[in-house]
Amino acid sequence: MNTRHYNAGEVIFQEGEISHEAFFVISGTIEISIKSSEGSLVLGRLGAGEIFGEMGMITDRPRSATARALENTVVE
């Protein structure tokens, strides 16, 4: 597995992008959000030990949400 480091505020992937990988959070916090008619709608926050981004791989469809690091974050 590749280890990646993201700074606070950095986007990991954007809603609508092609999906080729899932992520496992080693440390830090990830915010998952979607675009809505009223702006950005936060769906949840993920931390160490959680997995995200897997739905695009399973459904073979573009990303359904945006993932952004809320703090310095490490993922695999």
Side-chain angles (χ1 to χ4, degrees), residues 29-69:
T29 305
I30 306 295
E31 179 180 85
I32 305 297
S33 64
I34 59 171
K35 296 174 190 168
S36 75
S37 59
E38 298 172 8
S40 183
L41 175 64
V42 175
L43 299 178
R45 294 195 171 129
L46 306 171
E50 296 188 88
I51 296 172
F52 66 100
E54 73 285 356
M55 288 309 297
M57 292 175 57
I58 293 169
T59 62
D60 195 30
R61 300 185 73 202
R63 300 281 188 193
S64 59
T66 296
R68 182 173 60 93

